[in-house]
PDB file of all heavy atoms in Angstrom:
ATOM      1  N   HIS G 170     -27.738 -72.527  -0.974  1.00  0.00           N
ATOM      2  CA  HIS G 170     -28.811 -73.459  -1.341  1.00  0.00           C
ATOM      3  C   HIS G 170     -28.752 -73.870  -2.810  1.00  0.00           C
ATOM      4  O   HIS G 170     -29.765 -73.865  -3.522  1.00  0.00           O
ATOM      5  CB  HIS G 170     -30.177 -72.847  -1.004  1.00  0.00           C
ATOM      6  CG  HIS G 170     -30.261 -72.323   0.389  1.00  0.00           C
ATOM      7  ND1 HIS G 170     -30.224 -73.135   1.506  1.00  0.00           N
ATOM      8  CD2 HIS G 170     -30.339 -71.038   0.864  1.00  0.00           C
ATOM      9  CE1 HIS G 170     -30.302 -72.387   2.604  1.00  0.00           C
ATOM     10  NE2 HIS G 170     -30.367 -71.117   2.238  1.00  0.00           N
ATOM     11  N   LEU G 171     -27.555 -74.252  -3.237  1.00  0.00           N
ATOM     12  CA  LEU G 171     -27.363 -74.781  -4.582  1.00  0.00           C
ATOM     13  C   LEU G 171     -26.560 -76.073  -4.478  1.00  0.00           C
ATOM     14  O   LEU G 171     -25.839 -76.299  -3.512  1.00  0.00           O
ATOM     15  CB  LEU G 171     -26.586 -73.800  -5.461  1.00  0.00           C
ATOM     16  CG  LEU G 171     -27.303 -72.538  -5.942  1.00  0.00           C
ATOM     17  CD1 LEU G 171     -26.299 -71.589  -6.586  1.00  0.00           C
ATOM     18  CD2 LEU G 171     -28.408 -72.891  -6.938  1.00  0.00           C
ATOM     19  N   SER G 172     -26.682 -76.927  -5.495  1.00  0.00           N
ATOM     20  CA  SER G 172     -25.779 -78.059  -5.584  1.00  0.00           C
ATOM     21  C   SER G 172     -24.399 -77.541  -5.980  1.00  0.00           C
ATOM     22  O   SER G 172     -24.264 -76.449  -6.553  1.00  0.00           O
ATOM     23  CB  SER G 172     -26.260 -79.067  -6.618  1.00  0.00           C
ATOM     24  OG  SER G 172     -26.172 -78.512  -7.929  1.00  0.00           O
ATOM     25  N   LYS G 173     -23.373 -78.309  -5.687  1.00  0.00           N
ATOM     26  CA  LYS G 173     -22.022 -77.881  -6.045  1.00  0.00           C
ATOM     27  C   LYS G 173     -21.890 -77.676  -7.546  1.00  0.00           C
ATOM     28  O   LYS G 173     -21.315 -76.676  -8.000  1.00  0.00           O
ATOM     29  CB  LYS G 173     -21.005 -78.912  -5.556  1.00  0.00           C
ATOM     30  CG  LYS G 173     -19.567 -78.566  -5.940  1.00  0.00           C
ATOM     31  CD  LYS G 173     -18.605 -79.641  -5.472  1.00  0.00           C
ATOM     32  CE  LYS G 173     -17.181 -79.367  -5.933  1.00  0.00           C
ATOM     33  NZ  LYS G 173     -16.247 -80.439  -5.480  1.00  0.00           N
ATOM     34  N   SER G 174     -22.416 -78.599  -8.336  1.00  0.00           N
ATOM     35  CA  SER G 174     -22.278 -78.486  -9.791  1.00  0.00           C
ATOM     36  C   SER G 174     -23.000 -77.260 -10.328  1.00  0.00           C
ATOM     37  O   SER G 174     -22.493 -76.563 -11.222  1.00  0.00           O
ATOM     38  CB  SER G 174     -22.801 -79.750 -10.473  1.00  0.00           C
ATOM     39  OG  SER G 174     -24.183 -79.941 -10.202  1.00  0.00           O
ATOM     40  N   ARG G 175     -24.180 -76.962  -9.764  1.00  0.00           N
ATOM     41  CA  ARG G 175     -24.924 -75.786 -10.223  1.00  0.00           C
ATOM     42  C   ARG G 175     -24.224 -74.495  -9.818  1.00  0.00           C
ATOM     43  O   ARG G 175     -24.162 -73.533 -10.589  1.00  0.00           O
ATOM     44  CB  ARG G 175     -26.348 -75.815  -9.650  1.00  0.00           C
ATOM     45  CG  ARG G 175     -27.256 -74.690 -10.153  1.00  0.00           C
ATOM     46  CD  ARG G 175     -27.417 -74.740 -11.649  1.00  0.00           C
ATOM     47  NE  ARG G 175     -28.357 -73.727 -12.122  1.00  0.00           N
ATOM     48  CZ  ARG G 175     -28.419 -73.320 -13.386  1.00  0.00           C
ATOM     49  NH1 ARG G 175     -27.596 -73.833 -14.301  1.00  0.00           N
ATOM     50  NH2 ARG G 175     -29.286 -72.400 -13.740  1.00  0.00           N
ATOM     51  N   LEU G 176     -23.679 -74.486  -8.611  1.00  0.00           N
ATOM     52  CA  LEU G 176     -22.920 -73.316  -8.161  1.00  0.00           C
ATOM     53  C   LEU G 176     -21.748 -73.042  -9.097  1.00  0.00           C
ATOM     54  O   LEU G 176     -21.547 -71.906  -9.546  1.00  0.00           O
ATOM     55  CB  LEU G 176     -22.396 -73.535  -6.744  1.00  0.00           C
ATOM     56  CG  LEU G 176     -21.384 -72.477  -6.264  1.00  0.00           C
ATOM     57  CD1 LEU G 176     -22.087 -71.179  -5.907  1.00  0.00           C
ATOM     58  CD2 LEU G 176     -20.571 -72.988  -5.082  1.00  0.00           C
ATOM     59  N   LEU G 177     -20.970 -74.075  -9.405  1.00  0.00           N
ATOM     60  CA  LEU G 177     -19.786 -73.875 -10.231  1.00  0.00           C
ATOM     61  C   LEU G 177     -20.163 -73.423 -11.636  1.00  0.00           C
ATOM     62  O   LEU G 177     -19.472 -72.585 -12.237  1.00  0.00           O
ATOM     63  CB  LEU G 177     -18.956 -75.169 -10.284  1.00  0.00           C
ATOM     64  CG  LEU G 177     -18.370 -75.629  -8.944  1.00  0.00           C
ATOM     65  CD1 LEU G 177     -17.591 -76.928  -9.114  1.00  0.00           C
ATOM     66  CD2 LEU G 177     -17.486 -74.557  -8.324  1.00  0.00           C
ATOM     67  N   HIS G 178     -21.257 -73.948 -12.157  1.00  0.00           N
ATOM     68  CA  HIS G 178     -21.712 -73.532 -13.494  1.00  0.00           C
ATOM     69  C   HIS G 178     -22.134 -72.069 -13.495  1.00  0.00           C
ATOM     70  O   HIS G 178     -21.707 -71.281 -14.354  1.00  0.00           O
ATOM     71  CB  HIS G 178     -22.875 -74.416 -13.940  1.00  0.00           C
ATOM     72  CG  HIS G 178     -23.524 -73.937 -15.205  1.00  0.00           C
ATOM     73  ND1 HIS G 178     -22.958 -74.117 -16.456  1.00  0.00           N
ATOM     74  CD2 HIS G 178     -24.687 -73.250 -15.416  1.00  0.00           C
ATOM     75  CE1 HIS G 178     -23.736 -73.574 -17.380  1.00  0.00           C
ATOM     76  NE2 HIS G 178     -24.790 -73.051 -16.777  1.00  0.00           N
ATOM     77  N   LEU G 179     -22.973 -71.690 -12.535  1.00  0.00           N
ATOM     78  CA  LEU G 179     -23.451 -70.303 -12.472  1.00  0.00           C
ATOM     79  C   LEU G 179     -22.306 -69.350 -12.162  1.00  0.00           C
ATOM     80  O   LEU G 179     -22.261 -68.227 -12.680  1.00  0.00           O
ATOM     81  CB  LEU G 179     -24.546 -70.170 -11.414  1.00  0.00           C
ATOM     82  CG  LEU G 179     -25.904 -70.756 -11.754  1.00  0.00           C
ATOM     83  CD1 LEU G 179     -26.846 -70.647 -10.549  1.00  0.00           C
ATOM     84  CD2 LEU G 179     -26.519 -70.067 -12.968  1.00  0.00           C
ATOM     85  N   PHE G 180     -21.385 -69.792 -11.320  1.00  0.00           N
ATOM     86  CA  PHE G 180     -20.274 -68.932 -10.935  1.00  0.00           C
ATOM     87  C   PHE G 180     -19.449 -68.552 -12.166  1.00  0.00           C
ATOM     88  O   PHE G 180     -19.135 -67.379 -12.386  1.00  0.00           O
ATOM     89  CB  PHE G 180     -19.384 -69.655  -9.913  1.00  0.00           C
ATOM     90  CG  PHE G 180     -18.793 -68.737  -8.890  1.00  0.00           C
ATOM     91  CD1 PHE G 180     -19.323 -68.654  -7.620  1.00  0.00           C
ATOM     92  CD2 PHE G 180     -17.701 -67.936  -9.193  1.00  0.00           C
ATOM     93  CE1 PHE G 180     -18.791 -67.806  -6.663  1.00  0.00           C
ATOM     94  CE2 PHE G 180     -17.153 -67.085  -8.256  1.00  0.00           C
ATOM     95  CZ  PHE G 180     -17.702 -67.017  -6.985  1.00  0.00           C
ATOM     96  N   SER G 181     -19.099 -69.553 -12.975  1.00  0.00           N
ATOM     97  CA  SER G 181     -18.292 -69.274 -14.168  1.00  0.00           C
ATOM     98  C   SER G 181     -19.032 -68.367 -15.137  1.00  0.00           C
ATOM     99  O   SER G 181     -18.420 -67.517 -15.793  1.00  0.00           O
ATOM    100  CB  SER G 181     -17.923 -70.586 -14.864  1.00  0.00           C
ATOM    101  OG  SER G 181     -17.059 -71.363 -14.055  1.00  0.00           O
ATOM    102  N   ALA G 182     -20.352 -68.544 -15.225  1.00  0.00           N
ATOM    103  CA  ALA G 182     -21.138 -67.767 -16.179  1.00  0.00           C
ATOM    104  C   ALA G 182     -21.334 -66.321 -15.741  1.00  0.00           C
ATOM    105  O   ALA G 182     -21.409 -65.412 -16.576  1.00  0.00           O
ATOM    106  CB  ALA G 182     -22.498 -68.432 -16.386  1.00  0.00           C
ATOM    107  N   GLN G 183     -21.396 -66.065 -14.420  1.00  0.00           N
ATOM    108  CA  GLN G 183     -21.821 -64.748 -13.953  1.00  0.00           C
ATOM    109  C   GLN G 183     -20.782 -63.990 -13.139  1.00  0.00           C
ATOM    110  O   GLN G 183     -20.866 -62.761 -13.048  1.00  0.00           O
ATOM    111  CB  GLN G 183     -23.096 -64.889 -13.107  1.00  0.00           C
ATOM    112  CG  GLN G 183     -24.269 -65.449 -13.894  1.00  0.00           C
ATOM    113  CD  GLN G 183     -25.583 -65.301 -13.144  1.00  0.00           C
ATOM    114  OE1 GLN G 183     -25.624 -64.824 -12.017  1.00  0.00           O
ATOM    115  NE2 GLN G 183     -26.654 -65.725 -13.772  1.00  0.00           N
ATOM    116  N   ALA G 184     -19.816 -64.670 -12.567  1.00  0.00           N
ATOM    117  CA  ALA G 184     -18.886 -63.988 -11.656  1.00  0.00           C
ATOM    118  C   ALA G 184     -17.611 -63.510 -12.328  1.00  0.00           C
ATOM    119  O   ALA G 184     -16.756 -62.921 -11.679  1.00  0.00           O
ATOM    120  CB  ALA G 184     -18.537 -64.899 -10.477  1.00  0.00           C
ATOM    121  N   GLY G 185     -17.464 -63.756 -13.607  1.00  0.00           N
ATOM    122  CA  GLY G 185     -16.290 -63.280 -14.317  1.00  0.00           C
ATOM    123  C   GLY G 185     -15.134 -64.248 -14.335  1.00  0.00           C
ATOM    124  O   GLY G 185     -14.141 -64.034 -15.021  1.00  0.00           O
ATOM    125  N   THR G 186     -15.239 -65.368 -13.581  1.00  0.00           N
ATOM    126  CA  THR G 186     -14.197 -66.393 -13.572  1.00  0.00           C
ATOM    127  C   THR G 186     -14.715 -67.586 -12.775  1.00  0.00           C
ATOM    128  O   THR G 186     -15.867 -67.602 -12.343  1.00  0.00           O
ATOM    129  CB  THR G 186     -12.891 -65.840 -12.958  1.00  0.00           C
ATOM    130  OG1 THR G 186     -11.872 -66.814 -13.067  1.00  0.00           O
ATOM    131  CG2 THR G 186     -13.075 -65.448 -11.501  1.00  0.00           C
ATOM    132  N   THR G 187     -13.863 -68.589 -12.587  1.00  0.00           N
ATOM    133  CA  THR G 187     -14.274 -69.770 -11.844  1.00  0.00           C
ATOM    134  C   THR G 187     -14.270 -69.492 -10.344  1.00  0.00           C
ATOM    135  O   THR G 187     -13.686 -68.506  -9.881  1.00  0.00           O
ATOM    136  CB  THR G 187     -13.321 -70.941 -12.123  1.00  0.00           C
ATOM    137  OG1 THR G 187     -12.012 -70.603 -11.642  1.00  0.00           O
ATOM    138  CG2 THR G 187     -13.237 -71.238 -13.617  1.00  0.00           C
ATOM    139  N   PHE G 188     -14.888 -70.400  -9.584  1.00  0.00           N
ATOM    140  CA  PHE G 188     -14.911 -70.265  -8.131  1.00  0.00           C
ATOM    141  C   PHE G 188     -13.502 -70.196  -7.564  1.00  0.00           C
ATOM    142  O   PHE G 188     -13.176 -69.303  -6.767  1.00  0.00           O
ATOM    143  CB  PHE G 188     -15.672 -71.445  -7.514  1.00  0.00           C
ATOM    144  CG  PHE G 188     -15.371 -71.678  -6.060  1.00  0.00           C
ATOM    145  CD1 PHE G 188     -15.874 -70.826  -5.088  1.00  0.00           C
ATOM    146  CD2 PHE G 188     -14.565 -72.742  -5.663  1.00  0.00           C
ATOM    147  CE1 PHE G 188     -15.583 -71.032  -3.738  1.00  0.00           C
ATOM    148  CE2 PHE G 188     -14.280 -72.960  -4.325  1.00  0.00           C
ATOM    149  CZ  PHE G 188     -14.791 -72.101  -3.365  1.00  0.00           C
ATOM    150  N   ARG G 189     -12.627 -71.106  -7.964  1.00  0.00           N
ATOM    151  CA  ARG G 189     -11.267 -71.154  -7.424  1.00  0.00           C
ATOM    152  C   ARG G 189     -10.501 -69.874  -7.753  1.00  0.00           C
ATOM    153  O   ARG G 189      -9.819 -69.301  -6.904  1.00  0.00           O
ATOM    154  CB  ARG G 189     -10.532 -72.383  -7.973  1.00  0.00           C
ATOM    155  CG  ARG G 189      -9.147 -72.585  -7.372  1.00  0.00           C
ATOM    156  CD  ARG G 189      -8.460 -73.777  -8.017  1.00  0.00           C
ATOM    157  NE  ARG G 189      -9.206 -75.000  -7.785  1.00  0.00           N
ATOM    158  CZ  ARG G 189      -9.063 -75.764  -6.708  1.00  0.00           C
ATOM    159  NH1 ARG G 189      -8.211 -75.408  -5.761  1.00  0.00           N
ATOM    160  NH2 ARG G 189      -9.765 -76.862  -6.570  1.00  0.00           N
TER     161      ARG G 189
END
Side-chain angles (χ1 to χ4, degrees):
H170 310 293
L171 287 170
S172 68
K173 178 182 176 181
S174 62
R175 185 60 176 162
L176 170 76
L177 296 179
H178 172 76
L179 287 175
F180 215 102
S181 294
Q183 298 192 357
T186 185
T187 64
F188 160 74
R189 185 183 299 273

